[in-house]
Amino acid sequence: MAQSLSNVLVHIIFSTKDRRPLLGDLILRAAMHRYLGAVSVRLDCPVVRVGGVDDHVHLLARQGRTITVAEWVKELKRASSQWAKTQGASLWGFQWQAGYGAFSVSQSLSGKVERYIGQQEEHHGQWDFQTEFRQLLEAHGVAYDERYVWD
């Protein structure tokens, strides 16, 4: 086969450092989501959906053929942190948590994940980020040690 083709959908989640509610302003949050989407596209990882609430973000995107998930997330965080720090004095110390979650998504379930990301405000009326993240880890069969998940 002469051409390399793929469709690897990944649901990526990461939080602000210490889960600080730095994205509470809805205009700023929407701008952050757009910025994350633009960075992902620049990395040849087309975005399906970006969403989140005041302390974390979710991205559903197609992983590019030449980038690892770790490189992808590192650049998303680096570029968006730099951008956030230009958005006003209250964000000069903006940081993302050190870790992240990345979960594979089948094409047949991508619509469900897209809706899930779009309904973050409703979800977080019921549970916090840590509860949500634990549920996702367990649903995807990811073994974890509670002592090392949070920073």
Side-chain angles (χ1 to χ4, degrees):
M1 177 179 257
Q3 191 175 21
S4 299
L5 304 167
S6 71
N7 181 25
V8 178
L9 291 169
V10 183
H11 179 190
I12 298 171
I13 306 162
F14 49 89
S15 170
T16 57
K17 184 159 180 69
D18 300 319
R19 287 156 308 285
R20 293 178 55 209
L22 297 173
L23 300 173
D25 177 274
L26 296 179
I27 294 170
L28 173 66
R29 184 185 310 166
M32 174 63 83
H33 294 171
R34 285 190 304 275
Y35 193 84
L36 286 164
V39 172
S40 193
V41 167
R42 180 174 51 80
L43 297 170
D44 292 324
C45 299
V47 169
V48 176
R49 183 80 187 241
V50 181
V53 291
D54 59 358
D55 66 350
H56 71 280
V57 296
H58 292 253
L59 288 91
L60 177 62
R62 288 180 175 78
Q63 183 177 356
R65 294 180 301 103
T66 61
I67 192 167
T68 67
V69 171
E71 292 167 334
W72 182 12
V73 174
K74 181 179 179 180
E75 182 59 13
L76 285 169
K77 289 179 175 183
R78 185 199 67 75
S80 61
S81 289
Q82 285 184 340
W83 173 83
K85 291 172 185 175
T86 68
Q87 301 304 300
S90 66
L91 294 175
W92 286 349
F94 185 92
Q95 290 180 291
W96 294 110
Q97 71 177 104
Y100 62 90
F103 307 100
S104 61
V105 176
S106 69
Q107 184 65 48
S108 63
L109 293 176
S110 65
K112 183 177 179 182
V113 175
E114 220 179 317
R115 285 187 299 280
Y116 178 81
I117 292 171
Q119 297 170 341
Q120 283 295 292
E121 288 289 342
E122 293 114 55
H123 295 311
H124 290 288
Q126 300 171 19
W127 58 79
D128 63 7
F129 170 73
Q130 289 174 302
T131 301
E132 175 189 44
F133 196 68
R134 283 186 200 100
Q135 289 173 347
L136 286 165
L137 291 170
E138 290 165 12
H140 288 273
V142 177
Y144 65 97
D145 185 331
E146 186 79 28
R147 296 174 298 172
Y148 303 111
V149 175
W150 318 113
D151 63 353

